[in-house]
Amino acid sequence: MIKTSFISKTVSELKPSGIRRFFDLAANMEGVISLGVGEPDFVTSWSVREAAILSLEQGHTSYTANAGLLELRREIADYMHKSFEVTYNPADEIIVTVGASQAIDIALRATVSPGEEVLIVEPSFVSYAPLVMLAGGIAKTIQTANENEFKLMPQQLEEAITPNTKAIMLCSPNNPTGTQLGKEDLIKLSQIVKKHDLLVISDEIYSELAYDESYTSMAAIEEMRERTIVINGFSKGFAMTGWRLGFVCAPADIASAMLKIHQYTMMCASTMAQYAALEALKNGGSDVEEMRSSYRRRRNYIVKSFNEIGLDCHTPGGAFYAFPSIRLTGLSSEEFAEKLLMEEKVAVVPGNVFGDSGEGHIRCSYATSMDQLQEAVKRIGRFIEKYKVE
Ligand code: PMP
């Protein structure tokens, strides 16, 4: 009999993601409207799919360079320049990765030494803290608040920094709150980051889905390019989640450290997906614009409707999530999500899975059809009438 656990100490301490439990529950029920899933409801543009098919027909079936096709890295450099006014050298400052997920992983592993702290702004995307732990670092959380529309306040950042702090993870527009940090917000945060000589890992995966304000990359803020790792990719803006393609832009010394890990663990991202991404960047702009307008309409509808039925919901600047408060019910976010699923067959994600300050909220993805959203609002309204205590 085996007496020793073969699982590493670090991994046995990791908690599984709280999001999946609700998907599994919902998957076994009929007639469920899901506002749970964090991915676009669009199919990837046909021209992008066609470019992948063509690459196969032409026999492009081998590995690419570790960092990705040079042609794609050139296109990414061009995109970064045109969209955000930041210049990167395709030769040694850009790596094509297996989704933004892998980019975050290698960014952390390449920069964090054992025992160093990485600041995580909660409510936060669920993978940051586990990936910091896997990199040997310490995830230190900062809690943002609804009354500040879940923006990180400069004072909070200042207070969280210790001599052991190495980096801060930022995500704008944010998953799960949809909050976008504008240029002024970034400037204020950057002053503290520079003062304490920190690194920023800036997850900009939702940058194409910014509805009100034009998007500013952290790397575009004065003197920040040299201390910022930009994470981005094709999953959200280009509706390409299943292709597993992302990229990272960083100063050459950091990019070369990340490339070491990437070449040993991945070799390179999928070749076919890289050809597809090339087409997405070259000619995908108008489709992205159409998707963005469609999400904007749905955002406007859901935020207005939630507030009308009594759920206090700030207007998220981007991504495709609304993050309303459910305090008027007195239910915990887990209770709310579970009862809503069982009684009204609407799946949402309880806010507590995104960190302590997510409690009292639910994450609702509006990347689903208008008909479904209208029906979901009707059901949630009925549910609120039943449970409101205020
Ligand atoms: N960052 C954030 C904030 C996300 O929401 C997601 C996807 N849910 C990712 C990264 C990962 O994206 P990808 O599909 O490119 O790995």
Side-chain angles (χ1 to χ4, degrees):
M1 201 171 71
I2 298 169
K3 294 204 184 92
T4 323
S5 167
F6 294 131
I7 311 303
S8 84
K9 192 166 166 298
T10 315
V11 173
S12 40
E13 282 167 10
L14 286 185
K15 284 189 279 176
S17 158
I19 298 186
R20 281 254 74 94
R21 194 168 78 81
F22 279 84
F23 288 169
D24 295 344
L25 272 175
N28 297 320
M29 291 169 62
E30 297 253 304
V32 173
I33 297 180
S34 180
L35 307 184
V37 198
E39 61 180 318
D41 60 331
F42 295 101
V43 175
T44 309
S45 304
W46 170 241
S47 69
V48 174
R49 287 183 273 156
E50 205 172 27
I53 295 167
L54 184 64
S55 79
L56 294 178
E57 283 175 354
Q58 290 175 338
H60 296 306
T61 54
S62 27
Y63 296 129
T64 66
N66 292 138
L69 287 168
L70 182 58
E71 205 184 344
L72 176 58
R73 282 180 280 142
R74 284 198 181 118
E75 208 59 49
I76 292 170
D78 205 37
Y79 169 78
M80 291 300 292
H81 188 67
K82 280 197 191 124
S83 304
F84 314 118
E85 294 171 13
V86 201
T87 308
Y88 287 101
N89 183 349
D92 58 4
E93 294 187 316
I94 295 173
I95 304 170
V96 180
T97 57
V98 181
S101 303
Q102 191 224 342
I104 300 165
D105 183 35
I106 60 175
L108 288 164
R109 285 200 280 158
T111 56
V112 179
S113 299
E116 286 178 335
E117 289 170 359
V118 178
L119 302 176
I120 303 216
V121 185
E122 288 189 343
S124 129
F125 178 45
V126 292
S127 82
Y128 298 155
L131 290 179
V132 169
M133 282 171 70
L134 287 173
I138 297 168
K140 188 169 170 192
T141 57
I142 307 177
Q143 304 301 327
T144 58
N146 196 3
E147 61 262 29
N148 299 323
E149 299 194 340
F150 294 104
K151 280 188 179 178
L152 172 64
M153 297 288 112
Q155 169 100 14
Q156 290 184 291
L157 173 59
E158 184 78 61
E159 284 167 10
I161 295 167
T162 73
N164 224 4
T165 309
K166 179 66 164 282
I168 174 164
M169 291 275 338
L170 287 180
C171 178
S172 165
N174 178 276
N175 174 6
T177 63
T179 297
Q180 185 180 344
L181 298 172
K183 190 169 181 185
E184 289 309 310
D185 300 316
L186 294 175
I187 290 173
K188 285 185 199 141
L189 296 174
S190 75
Q191 285 160 352
I192 301 166
V193 164
K194 284 184 263 186
K195 185 168 110 191
H196 294 276
D197 199 19
L198 303 183
L199 169 75
V200 176
I201 300 175
S202 185
D203 184 345
E204 305 186 358
I205 187 79
Y206 293 101
S207 59
E208 285 293 338
L209 305 181
Y211 307 122
D212 305 322
E213 241 181 278
S214 68
Y215 190 80
T216 306
S217 169
M218 186 49 123
I221 303 294
E222 201 182 338
E223 293 176 355
M224 284 304 294
R225 185 193 176 285
E226 297 315 308
R227 55 174 73 248
T228 301
I229 301 176
V230 174
I231 309 285
N232 210 324
F234 299 88
S235 284
K236 312 292 172 162
F238 295 90
M240 292 178 69
T241 45
W243 297 81
R244 310 309 305 122
L245 209 70
F247 61 88
V248 54
C249 301
D253 57 335
I254 300 179
S256 106
M258 285 192 280
L259 191 59
K260 280 197 229 169
I261 308 173
H262 181 72
Q263 74 187 4
Y264 290 131
T265 52
M266 291 297 162
M267 307 285 291
C268 65
S270 149
T271 301
M272 174 181 69
Q274 292 190 55
Y275 280 99
L278 193 55
E279 168 63 22
L281 285 183
K282 277 187 169 157
N283 301 311
S286 61
D287 285 348
V288 172
E289 180 52 47
E290 251 176 60
M291 292 191 270
R292 184 166 40 237
S293 321
S294 163
Y295 291 130
R296 186 190 286 114
R297 275 198 301 280
R298 290 182 266 172
R299 179 210 53 177
N300 292 347
Y301 168 74
I302 197 110
V303 171
K304 184 165 165 282
S305 306
F306 278 164
N307 283 299
E308 278 168 8
I309 60 174
L311 295 178
D312 171 26
C313 184
H314 79 275
T315 303
F320 34 59
Y321 309 107
F323 201 64
S325 164
I326 50 153
R327 289 202 195 280
L328 85 167
T329 63
L331 298 171
S332 74
S333 60
E334 292 249 357
E335 285 166 343
F336 187 102
E338 206 153 333
K339 283 182 193 293
L340 183 67
L341 181 61
M342 295 306 167
E343 296 173 25
E344 292 289 353
K345 297 194 175 170
V346 179
V348 299
V349 182
N352 70 330
V353 308
F354 305 103
D356 290 347
S357 49
E359 187 47 85
H361 296 79
I362 49 170
R363 188 191 77 174
C364 302
S365 162
Y366 52 84
T368 189
S369 74
M370 203 56 169
D371 287 352
Q372 293 269 297
L373 287 179
Q374 282 164 347
E375 177 60 23
V377 164
K378 216 161 80 191
R379 295 185 191 184
I380 296 173
R382 204 155 55 200
F383 185 81
I384 298 293
E385 280 309 308
K386 188 163 155 198
Y387 283 101
K388 74 174 172 198
V389 288
E390 283 175 4

